[in-house]
Amino acid sequence: MIELMSATSDGKALRRAFGCFPSGVTAICGLRDGLAVGMAASAFTSASLDPPLVSLCVQNSSTTWPKLRELARLGISVLAEDHADACLQLSGKAEDRFVGIEWSASTEGAVFMEHATAWLDCSVEREVPAGDHTMVILRIHRFLADPAVAPLVFHASRFRRLVAVEPVPPAGQA
């Protein structure tokens, strides 16, 4: 029998449990007063094809999200496996998180990381309180994807690389 812990007993252990689920890493960025502003987020997922929506979760203590939430457009860049350093830089407390990072902006003010695996031009649809985080629903206006570019993966508090594995047919099937 599996003995489960109470979800309220140990926050660090619950964080480790959440970390067992691998996720991609995104950069959420926009232009504010002509300057690039952005942050990294791994709590990101597709939400709907019709209408085209994605979601992300942002810590309520974030000092960057209040700067981004009011912008007309946000760029979501699905980071590539060689973006680990840029991800750490966007996660940090530095005032100018974009030093040395290659990026470009749309005419609407969405900021995109160069060499990502996918780019989504979005606007905030709505926010939903969710405990110590806020779930943000974003409407996708335009996008571009390059599935040939391997994504950056975050698992167990570490960056990882994907390895393609060919499925093995069950015994007796060819």
Side-chain angles (χ1 to χ4, degrees):
M1 180 165 168
I2 298 172
E3 293 291 327
L4 302 177
M5 297 174 62
S6 167
T8 59
S9 66
D10 185 346
K12 287 183 181 181
L14 184 57
R15 180 183 290 266
R16 279 192 308 275
F18 288 166
C20 289
F21 185 75
S23 64
V25 186
T26 59
I28 297 88
C29 308
L31 285 179
R32 183 180 169 105
D33 301 325
L35 299 174
V37 176
M39 62 186 214
S42 60
F44 169 87
T45 190
S46 57
S48 172
L49 291 173
D50 186 18
L53 303 172
V54 293
S55 68
L56 65 107
C57 292
V58 179
Q59 284 183 340
N60 293 338
S61 61
S62 171
T63 58
T64 306
W65 179 243
K67 297 174 186 175
L68 293 169
R69 75 167 13 118
E70 301 302 325
L71 299 179
R73 291 293 177 91
L74 296 172
I76 308 294
S77 301
V78 178
L79 299 180
E81 67 182 5
D82 60 351
H83 279 131
D85 290 338
C87 179
L88 291 173
Q89 193 167 322
L90 287 173
S91 299
K93 300 290 184 192
E95 188 64 30
D96 186 358
R97 296 177 179 177
F98 288 86
V99 171
I101 293 178
E102 293 181 65
W103 59 274
S104 60
S106 70
T107 56
E108 294 87 2
V111 170
F112 301 102
M113 305 284 291
E114 296 288 338
H115 314 292
T117 186
W119 301 268
L120 308 171
D121 176 15
C122 301
S123 60
V124 176
E125 182 86 2
R126 70 180 156 278
E127 296 180 79
V128 179
D132 59 2
H133 280 64
T134 298
M135 292 178 60
V136 181
I137 309 298
L138 299 162
R139 179 174 293 267
I140 303 168
H141 300 283
R142 298 179 303 154
F143 72 96
L144 180 64
D146 186 355
V149 175
L152 183 63
V153 176
F154 194 67
H155 174 256
S157 298
R158 295 180 55 198
F159 294 121
R160 311 259 185 182
R161 293 179 186 260
L162 292 180
V163 175
V165 178
E166 295 298 322
V168 178
Q173 293 183 5

Short mmCIF file of all heavy atoms in Angstrom, two decimals, residues 20-87:
data_model
loop_
_atom_site.label_atom_id
_atom_site.label_comp_id
_atom_site.label_asym_id
_atom_site.label_seq_id
_atom_site.Cartn_x
_atom_site.Cartn_y
_atom_site.Cartn_z
N CYS A 20 8.35 16.42 -9.88
CA CYS A 20 8.40 15.13 -10.57
C CYS A 20 7.76 15.19 -11.95
O CYS A 20 7.97 14.32 -12.78
CB CYS A 20 7.72 14.05 -9.73
SG CYS A 20 8.66 13.60 -8.27
N PHE A 21 6.95 16.22 -12.17
CA PHE A 21 6.32 16.39 -13.47
C PHE A 21 7.20 17.30 -14.32
O PHE A 21 7.37 18.47 -14.01
CB PHE A 21 4.93 17.02 -13.31
CG PHE A 21 4.17 17.11 -14.60
CD1 PHE A 21 3.61 15.99 -15.16
CD2 PHE A 21 4.04 18.33 -15.26
CE1 PHE A 21 2.91 16.06 -16.35
CE2 PHE A 21 3.35 18.41 -16.46
CZ PHE A 21 2.79 17.27 -17.01
N PRO A 22 7.81 16.78 -15.39
CA PRO A 22 8.68 17.62 -16.21
C PRO A 22 7.84 18.64 -16.99
O PRO A 22 6.71 18.37 -17.37
CB PRO A 22 9.35 16.62 -17.17
CG PRO A 22 8.44 15.45 -17.20
CD PRO A 22 7.72 15.41 -15.88
N SER A 23 8.41 19.80 -17.18
CA SER A 23 7.70 20.83 -17.94
C SER A 23 8.68 21.55 -18.85
O SER A 23 9.89 21.55 -18.62
CB SER A 23 7.03 21.83 -17.00
OG SER A 23 7.99 22.51 -16.24
N GLY A 24 8.15 22.17 -19.85
CA GLY A 24 8.94 23.07 -20.66
C GLY A 24 9.11 24.38 -19.91
O GLY A 24 8.52 24.58 -18.84
N VAL A 25 9.91 25.25 -20.45
CA VAL A 25 10.14 26.55 -19.81
C VAL A 25 9.85 27.63 -20.85
O VAL A 25 10.26 27.51 -22.00
CB VAL A 25 11.58 26.67 -19.28
CG1 VAL A 25 11.76 27.96 -18.51
CG2 VAL A 25 11.94 25.48 -18.40
N THR A 26 9.15 28.66 -20.40
CA THR A 26 8.80 29.75 -21.30
C THR A 26 9.35 31.06 -20.78
O THR A 26 9.63 31.22 -19.60
CB THR A 26 7.27 29.88 -21.42
OG1 THR A 26 6.72 30.11 -20.11
CG2 THR A 26 6.65 28.63 -22.01
N ALA A 27 9.49 32.00 -21.69
CA ALA A 27 9.80 33.39 -21.34
C ALA A 27 8.56 34.20 -21.70
O ALA A 27 8.04 34.07 -22.82
CB ALA A 27 11.01 33.88 -22.11
N ILE A 28 8.08 34.99 -20.77
CA ILE A 28 6.92 35.85 -20.98
C ILE A 28 7.46 37.27 -20.96
O ILE A 28 7.96 37.74 -19.94
CB ILE A 28 5.84 35.66 -19.89
CG1 ILE A 28 5.29 34.24 -19.90
CG2 ILE A 28 4.71 36.65 -20.07
CD1 ILE A 28 6.04 33.29 -19.08
N CYS A 29 7.37 37.97 -22.12
CA CYS A 29 8.07 39.24 -22.25
C CYS A 29 7.26 40.25 -23.05
O CYS A 29 6.47 39.90 -23.93
CB CYS A 29 9.40 39.03 -22.96
SG CYS A 29 10.45 37.75 -22.24
N GLY A 30 7.50 41.52 -22.77
CA GLY A 30 6.86 42.60 -23.51
C GLY A 30 7.66 43.88 -23.38
O GLY A 30 8.60 43.98 -22.59
N LEU A 31 7.27 44.86 -24.19
CA LEU A 31 7.90 46.17 -24.13
C LEU A 31 7.09 47.07 -23.20
O LEU A 31 5.88 47.20 -23.36
CB LEU A 31 7.96 46.81 -25.52
CG LEU A 31 9.00 46.27 -26.48
CD1 LEU A 31 8.90 47.01 -27.82
CD2 LEU A 31 10.40 46.37 -25.91
N ARG A 32 7.78 47.68 -22.26
CA ARG A 32 7.16 48.63 -21.34
C ARG A 32 8.01 49.90 -21.37
O ARG A 32 9.19 49.85 -21.02
CB ARG A 32 7.10 48.04 -19.93
CG ARG A 32 6.42 48.95 -18.94
CD ARG A 32 6.40 48.28 -17.57
NE ARG A 32 6.00 49.22 -16.58
CZ ARG A 32 4.80 49.25 -16.01
NH1 ARG A 32 3.91 48.35 -16.33
NH2 ARG A 32 4.52 50.15 -15.11
N ASP A 33 7.40 50.97 -21.82
CA ASP A 33 8.12 52.25 -21.96
C ASP A 33 9.38 52.07 -22.81
O ASP A 33 10.43 52.65 -22.52
CB ASP A 33 8.47 52.83 -20.59
CG ASP A 33 7.25 53.08 -19.73
OD1 ASP A 33 6.19 53.46 -20.30
OD2 ASP A 33 7.33 52.89 -18.51
N GLY A 34 9.27 51.24 -23.86
CA GLY A 34 10.37 51.04 -24.78
C GLY A 34 11.45 50.07 -24.33
O GLY A 34 12.39 49.81 -25.06
N LEU A 35 11.32 49.53 -23.11
CA LEU A 35 12.31 48.59 -22.59
C LEU A 35 11.71 47.18 -22.48
O LEU A 35 10.54 47.02 -22.14
CB LEU A 35 12.77 49.03 -21.19
CG LEU A 35 13.45 50.40 -21.11
CD1 LEU A 35 13.72 50.76 -19.65
CD2 LEU A 35 14.75 50.39 -21.91
N ALA A 36 12.54 46.18 -22.77
CA ALA A 36 12.09 44.80 -22.63
C ALA A 36 11.96 44.44 -21.16
O ALA A 36 12.85 44.73 -20.35
CB ALA A 36 13.07 43.86 -23.32
N VAL A 37 10.82 43.83 -20.82
CA VAL A 37 10.54 43.35 -19.47
C VAL A 37 10.12 41.90 -19.63
O VAL A 37 9.36 41.57 -20.53
CB VAL A 37 9.40 44.16 -18.80
CG1 VAL A 37 9.06 43.60 -17.45
CG2 VAL A 37 9.76 45.62 -18.71
N GLY A 38 10.60 41.03 -18.74
CA GLY A 38 10.20 39.64 -18.89
C GLY A 38 10.54 38.78 -17.71
O GLY A 38 11.22 39.21 -16.78
N MET A 39 10.02 37.57 -17.75
CA MET A 39 10.25 36.59 -16.70
C MET A 39 10.15 35.19 -17.30
O MET A 39 9.65 35.02 -18.41
CB MET A 39 9.22 36.76 -15.58
CG MET A 39 7.80 36.54 -16.00
SD MET A 39 6.68 36.94 -14.66
CE MET A 39 5.41 35.74 -14.96
N ALA A 40 10.66 34.22 -16.57
CA ALA A 40 10.56 32.82 -16.98
C ALA A 40 9.43 32.16 -16.22
O ALA A 40 9.12 32.54 -15.09
CB ALA A 40 11.87 32.10 -16.70
N ALA A 41 8.80 31.18 -16.86
CA ALA A 41 7.73 30.42 -16.19
C ALA A 41 7.73 28.99 -16.72
O ALA A 41 7.79 28.77 -17.93
CB ALA A 41 6.37 31.07 -16.44
N SER A 42 7.66 28.03 -15.80
CA SER A 42 7.56 26.64 -16.21
C SER A 42 6.13 26.11 -16.03
O SER A 42 5.79 25.09 -16.60
CB SER A 42 8.54 25.76 -15.43
OG SER A 42 8.28 25.83 -14.05
N ALA A 43 5.31 26.81 -15.27
CA ALA A 43 3.91 26.40 -15.07
C ALA A 43 3.09 26.98 -16.22
O ALA A 43 2.35 27.95 -16.08
CB ALA A 43 3.40 26.89 -13.72
N PHE A 44 3.23 26.38 -17.39
CA PHE A 44 2.63 26.85 -18.63
C PHE A 44 2.01 25.66 -19.33
O PHE A 44 2.58 24.57 -19.33
CB PHE A 44 3.73 27.47 -19.50
CG PHE A 44 3.29 27.77 -20.91
CD1 PHE A 44 2.68 28.97 -21.21
CD2 PHE A 44 3.50 26.86 -21.92
CE1 PHE A 44 2.27 29.26 -22.51
CE2 PHE A 44 3.10 27.13 -23.22
CZ PHE A 44 2.48 28.34 -23.50
N THR A 45 0.84 25.86 -19.95
CA THR A 45 0.24 24.77 -20.70
C THR A 45 -0.74 25.29 -21.74
O THR A 45 -1.25 26.41 -21.62
CB THR A 45 -0.48 23.77 -19.76
OG1 THR A 45 -0.86 22.61 -20.50
CG2 THR A 45 -1.72 24.39 -19.12
N SER A 46 -0.98 24.49 -22.74
CA SER A 46 -2.02 24.82 -23.71
C SER A 46 -3.37 24.68 -22.99
O SER A 46 -3.51 23.87 -22.08
CB SER A 46 -1.95 23.89 -24.92
OG SER A 46 -2.06 22.55 -24.50
N ALA A 47 -4.34 25.48 -23.40
CA ALA A 47 -5.65 25.44 -22.75
C ALA A 47 -6.78 25.15 -23.73
O ALA A 47 -7.68 24.39 -23.42
CB ALA A 47 -5.92 26.75 -22.01
N SER A 48 -6.74 25.75 -24.92
CA SER A 48 -7.86 25.62 -25.85
C SER A 48 -7.40 25.92 -27.27
O SER A 48 -6.60 26.82 -27.50
CB SER A 48 -8.97 26.59 -25.44
OG SER A 48 -10.01 26.64 -26.40
N LEU A 49 -7.96 25.17 -28.24
CA LEU A 49 -7.73 25.46 -29.64
C LEU A 49 -8.75 26.47 -30.17
O LEU A 49 -8.46 27.27 -31.04
CB LEU A 49 -7.81 24.19 -30.48
CG LEU A 49 -6.68 23.18 -30.29
CD1 LEU A 49 -6.97 21.90 -31.06
CD2 LEU A 49 -5.36 23.78 -30.72
N ASP A 50 -9.98 26.41 -29.64
CA ASP A 50 -11.05 27.28 -30.10
C ASP A 50 -11.85 27.81 -28.92
O ASP A 50 -12.68 27.07 -28.39
CB ASP A 50 -11.95 26.53 -31.07
CG ASP A 50 -13.00 27.42 -31.71
OD1 ASP A 50 -12.83 28.66 -31.69
OD2 ASP A 50 -13.98 26.88 -32.24
N PRO A 51 -11.56 29.01 -28.46
CA PRO A 51 -10.60 29.97 -28.99
C PRO A 51 -9.17 29.56 -28.62
O PRO A 51 -8.97 28.78 -27.68
CB PRO A 51 -10.99 31.28 -28.30
CG PRO A 51 -11.56 30.86 -26.99
CD PRO A 51 -12.27 29.56 -27.27
N PRO A 52 -8.17 30.10 -29.32
CA PRO A 52 -6.78 29.73 -29.03
C PRO A 52 -6.30 30.37 -27.72
O PRO A 52 -6.13 31.58 -27.63
CB PRO A 52 -6.01 30.28 -30.24
CG PRO A 52 -6.88 31.37 -30.79
CD PRO A 52 -8.30 31.00 -30.46
N LEU A 53 -6.11 29.51 -26.70
CA LEU A 53 -5.74 29.98 -25.37
C LEU A 53 -4.62 29.13 -24.79
O LEU A 53 -4.55 27.92 -25.05
CB LEU A 53 -6.92 29.91 -24.40
CG LEU A 53 -8.19 30.67 -24.76
CD1 LEU A 53 -9.31 30.31 -23.78
CD2 LEU A 53 -7.94 32.17 -24.75
N VAL A 54 -3.76 29.76 -24.01
CA VAL A 54 -2.78 29.08 -23.18
C VAL A 54 -2.91 29.62 -21.77
O VAL A 54 -3.57 30.64 -21.54
CB VAL A 54 -1.32 29.28 -23.70
CG1 VAL A 54 -1.12 28.60 -25.04
CG2 VAL A 54 -0.96 30.75 -23.77
N SER A 55 -2.30 28.92 -20.82
CA SER A 55 -2.35 29.40 -19.44
C SER A 55 -0.97 29.29 -18.80
O SER A 55 -0.14 28.50 -19.22
CB SER A 55 -3.36 28.61 -18.62
OG SER A 55 -2.93 27.28 -18.45
N LEU A 56 -0.77 30.13 -17.80
CA LEU A 56 0.44 30.04 -17.00
C LEU A 56 0.08 30.43 -15.58
O LEU A 56 -0.94 31.07 -15.33
CB LEU A 56 1.56 30.93 -17.56
CG LEU A 56 1.35 32.43 -17.56
CD1 LEU A 56 2.22 33.05 -16.48
CD2 LEU A 56 1.77 32.99 -18.90
N CYS A 57 0.91 30.00 -14.65
CA CYS A 57 0.72 30.34 -13.24
C CYS A 57 1.88 31.23 -12.81
O CYS A 57 3.03 30.94 -13.10
CB CYS A 57 0.67 29.09 -12.38
SG CYS A 57 -0.80 28.09 -12.68
N VAL A 58 1.53 32.31 -12.11
CA VAL A 58 2.50 33.30 -11.68
C VAL A 58 2.40 33.44 -10.16
O VAL A 58 1.29 33.56 -9.63
CB VAL A 58 2.22 34.67 -12.34
CG1 VAL A 58 3.21 35.70 -11.88
CG2 VAL A 58 2.22 34.55 -13.86
N GLN A 59 3.53 33.43 -9.49
CA GLN A 59 3.54 33.64 -8.03
C GLN A 59 2.98 35.02 -7.71
O GLN A 59 3.31 36.00 -8.37
CB GLN A 59 4.95 33.55 -7.47
CG GLN A 59 5.48 32.17 -7.36
CD GLN A 59 6.86 32.17 -6.71
OE1 GLN A 59 7.56 33.16 -6.66
NE2 GLN A 59 7.24 31.00 -6.21
N ASN A 60 2.15 35.07 -6.67
CA ASN A 60 1.58 36.36 -6.26
C ASN A 60 2.66 37.33 -5.79
O ASN A 60 2.44 38.54 -5.82
CB ASN A 60 0.54 36.15 -5.16
CG ASN A 60 -0.68 35.41 -5.68
OD1 ASN A 60 -0.96 35.39 -6.87
ND2 ASN A 60 -1.40 34.78 -4.78
N SER A 61 3.81 36.82 -5.39
CA SER A 61 4.90 37.68 -4.92
C SER A 61 5.75 38.23 -6.07
O SER A 61 6.68 39.01 -5.83
CB SER A 61 5.79 36.92 -3.94
OG SER A 61 6.37 35.79 -4.58
N SER A 62 5.44 37.86 -7.31
CA SER A 62 6.23 38.32 -8.45
C SER A 62 6.20 39.84 -8.54
O SER A 62 5.13 40.47 -8.45
CB SER A 62 5.67 37.74 -9.76
OG SER A 62 6.30 38.35 -10.87
N THR A 63 7.36 40.43 -8.74
CA THR A 63 7.43 41.88 -8.96
C THR A 63 7.43 42.20 -10.45
O THR A 63 7.26 43.37 -10.83
CB THR A 63 8.69 42.48 -8.30
OG1 THR A 63 9.85 41.82 -8.83
CG2 THR A 63 8.64 42.29 -6.79
N THR A 64 7.58 41.19 -11.30
CA THR A 64 7.60 41.39 -12.74
C THR A 64 6.20 41.30 -13.34
O THR A 64 5.86 42.08 -14.24
CB THR A 64 8.53 40.38 -13.43
OG1 THR A 64 9.82 40.46 -12.81
CG2 THR A 64 8.67 40.65 -14.91
N TRP A 65 5.38 40.37 -12.87
CA TRP A 65 4.06 40.21 -13.45
C TRP A 65 3.24 41.50 -13.42
O TRP A 65 2.59 41.83 -14.43
CB TRP A 65 3.29 39.06 -12.81
CG TRP A 65 1.93 38.91 -13.41
CD1 TRP A 65 0.73 39.06 -12.79
CD2 TRP A 65 1.62 38.64 -14.79
NE1 TRP A 65 -0.30 38.91 -13.69
CE2 TRP A 65 0.22 38.65 -14.92
CE3 TRP A 65 2.39 38.42 -15.92
CZ2 TRP A 65 -0.42 38.42 -16.13
CZ3 TRP A 65 1.75 38.19 -17.13
CH2 TRP A 65 0.36 38.19 -17.22
N PRO A 66 3.24 42.28 -12.35
CA PRO A 66 2.49 43.54 -12.38
C PRO A 66 2.94 44.48 -13.51
O PRO A 66 2.13 45.27 -14.03
CB PRO A 66 2.76 44.17 -11.01
CG PRO A 66 3.05 43.01 -10.13
CD PRO A 66 3.79 42.03 -11.01
N LYS A 67 4.20 44.40 -13.93
CA LYS A 67 4.70 45.22 -15.02
C LYS A 67 4.23 44.69 -16.37
O LYS A 67 4.10 45.44 -17.34
CB LYS A 67 6.23 45.27 -15.01
CG LYS A 67 6.81 45.92 -13.77
CD LYS A 67 8.31 45.80 -13.75
CE LYS A 67 8.88 46.32 -12.44
NZ LYS A 67 10.33 46.11 -12.35
N LEU A 68 3.98 43.38 -16.46
CA LEU A 68 3.59 42.74 -17.71
C LEU A 68 2.07 42.70 -17.91
O LEU A 68 1.60 42.82 -19.04
CB LEU A 68 4.14 41.31 -17.78
CG LEU A 68 5.65 41.16 -17.88
CD1 LEU A 68 6.06 39.71 -17.67
CD2 LEU A 68 6.14 41.66 -19.23
N ARG A 69 1.32 42.52 -16.86
CA ARG A 69 -0.12 42.24 -16.96
C ARG A 69 -0.91 43.31 -17.69
O ARG A 69 -1.93 43.03 -18.29
CB ARG A 69 -0.72 41.97 -15.60
CG ARG A 69 -0.91 43.24 -14.79
CD ARG A 69 -1.77 43.20 -13.53
NE ARG A 69 -2.15 41.95 -12.99
CZ ARG A 69 -1.81 41.51 -11.78
NH1 ARG A 69 -1.06 42.26 -11.00
NH2 ARG A 69 -2.24 40.36 -11.36
N GLU A 70 -0.47 44.56 -17.64
CA GLU A 70 -1.21 45.66 -18.26
C GLU A 70 -0.82 45.92 -19.71
O GLU A 70 -1.43 46.76 -20.37
CB GLU A 70 -1.02 46.94 -17.44
CG GLU A 70 -1.47 46.83 -16.00
CD GLU A 70 -2.94 46.45 -15.84
OE1 GLU A 70 -3.77 46.87 -16.67
OE2 GLU A 70 -3.26 45.72 -14.88
N LEU A 71 0.19 45.21 -20.21
CA LEU A 71 0.65 45.44 -21.58
C LEU A 71 -0.37 44.88 -22.59
O LEU A 71 -1.01 43.86 -22.34
CB LEU A 71 2.02 44.80 -21.80
CG LEU A 71 3.15 45.33 -20.92
CD1 LEU A 71 4.44 44.60 -21.21
CD2 LEU A 71 3.31 46.84 -21.09
N ALA A 72 -0.48 45.54 -23.73
CA ALA A 72 -1.43 45.11 -24.76
C ALA A 72 -1.06 43.75 -25.33
O ALA A 72 -1.94 42.93 -25.61
CB ALA A 72 -1.49 46.15 -25.88
N ARG A 73 0.23 43.48 -25.48
CA ARG A 73 0.67 42.21 -26.04
C ARG A 73 1.86 41.68 -25.26
O ARG A 73 2.71 42.44 -24.79
CB ARG A 73 1.09 42.35 -27.51
CG ARG A 73 -0.06 42.63 -28.46
CD ARG A 73 -1.00 41.41 -28.56
NE ARG A 73 -2.12 41.68 -29.41
CZ ARG A 73 -2.17 41.45 -30.71
NH1 ARG A 73 -1.14 40.91 -31.33
NH2 ARG A 73 -3.24 41.73 -31.40
N LEU A 74 1.88 40.37 -25.13
CA LEU A 74 2.99 39.65 -24.49
C LEU A 74 3.51 38.60 -25.45
O LEU A 74 2.73 37.93 -26.13
CB LEU A 74 2.52 38.97 -23.20
CG LEU A 74 2.04 39.89 -22.09
CD1 LEU A 74 1.43 39.07 -20.95
CD2 LEU A 74 3.19 40.74 -21.59
N GLY A 75 4.82 38.45 -25.49
CA GLY A 75 5.42 37.39 -26.27
C GLY A 75 5.73 36.21 -25.36
O GLY A 75 6.33 36.37 -24.31
N ILE A 76 5.28 35.05 -25.77
CA ILE A 76 5.62 33.81 -25.06
C ILE A 76 6.61 33.07 -25.96
O ILE A 76 6.29 32.76 -27.11
CB ILE A 76 4.39 32.91 -24.83
CG1 ILE A 76 3.26 33.67 -24.16
CG2 ILE A 76 4.79 31.65 -24.06
CD1 ILE A 76 3.52 34.12 -22.77
N SER A 77 7.79 32.83 -25.45
CA SER A 77 8.80 32.06 -26.17
C SER A 77 8.98 30.74 -25.44
O SER A 77 9.28 30.73 -24.25
CB SER A 77 10.14 32.81 -26.21
OG SER A 77 10.00 34.06 -26.84
N VAL A 78 8.76 29.63 -26.15
CA VAL A 78 9.03 28.31 -25.58
C VAL A 78 10.54 28.10 -25.76
O VAL A 78 11.03 27.99 -26.89
CB VAL A 78 8.22 27.21 -26.28
CG1 VAL A 78 8.56 25.84 -25.70
CG2 VAL A 78 6.71 27.49 -26.15
N LEU A 79 11.25 28.09 -24.65
CA LEU A 79 12.70 28.13 -24.70
C LEU A 79 13.30 26.83 -25.24
O LEU A 79 12.79 25.74 -24.98
CB LEU A 79 13.27 28.44 -23.32
CG LEU A 79 12.85 29.80 -22.75
CD1 LEU A 79 13.47 30.03 -21.38
CD2 LEU A 79 13.20 30.94 -23.70
N ALA A 80 14.39 26.97 -25.97
CA ALA A 80 15.12 25.84 -26.54
C ALA A 80 16.14 25.33 -25.52
O ALA A 80 16.49 26.02 -24.56
CB ALA A 80 15.82 26.27 -27.82
N GLU A 81 16.65 24.12 -25.76
CA GLU A 81 17.54 23.48 -24.80
C GLU A 81 18.81 24.27 -24.51
O GLU A 81 19.41 24.10 -23.47
CB GLU A 81 17.87 22.05 -25.22
CG GLU A 81 18.70 21.93 -26.46
CD GLU A 81 18.97 20.48 -26.86
OE1 GLU A 81 18.42 19.56 -26.23
OE2 GLU A 81 19.73 20.28 -27.81
N ASP A 82 19.19 25.18 -25.39
CA ASP A 82 20.39 25.98 -25.14
C ASP A 82 20.08 27.32 -24.47
O ASP A 82 20.94 28.19 -24.37
CB ASP A 82 21.21 26.18 -26.42
CG ASP A 82 20.43 26.90 -27.50
OD1 ASP A 82 19.22 27.10 -27.34
OD2 ASP A 82 21.05 27.27 -28.53
N HIS A 83 18.86 27.50 -23.98
CA HIS A 83 18.45 28.73 -23.30
C HIS A 83 18.55 28.66 -21.77
O HIS A 83 18.01 29.52 -21.08
CB HIS A 83 17.00 29.08 -23.65
CG HIS A 83 16.84 29.77 -24.96
ND1 HIS A 83 15.91 29.35 -25.88
CD2 HIS A 83 17.46 30.85 -25.49
CE1 HIS A 83 15.97 30.15 -26.93
NE2 HIS A 83 16.91 31.06 -26.72
N ALA A 84 19.23 27.67 -21.21
CA ALA A 84 19.28 27.52 -19.75
C ALA A 84 19.82 28.78 -19.07
O ALA A 84 19.24 29.25 -18.08
CB ALA A 84 20.12 26.30 -19.36
N ASP A 85 20.91 29.34 -19.57
CA ASP A 85 21.48 30.55 -18.96
C ASP A 85 20.52 31.73 -19.06
O ASP A 85 20.34 32.49 -18.11
CB ASP A 85 22.83 30.91 -19.58
CG ASP A 85 23.92 29.91 -19.21
OD1 ASP A 85 23.77 29.21 -18.18
OD2 ASP A 85 24.92 29.84 -19.95
N ALA A 86 19.89 31.89 -20.23
CA ALA A 86 18.92 32.97 -20.40
C ALA A 86 17.74 32.80 -19.46
O ALA A 86 17.23 33.77 -18.89
CB ALA A 86 18.45 33.02 -21.85
N CYS A 87 17.31 31.56 -19.27
CA CYS A 87 16.21 31.28 -18.35
C CYS A 87 16.57 31.71 -16.93
O CYS A 87 15.77 32.37 -16.24
CB CYS A 87 15.85 29.80 -18.39
SG CYS A 87 14.50 29.37 -17.26
#
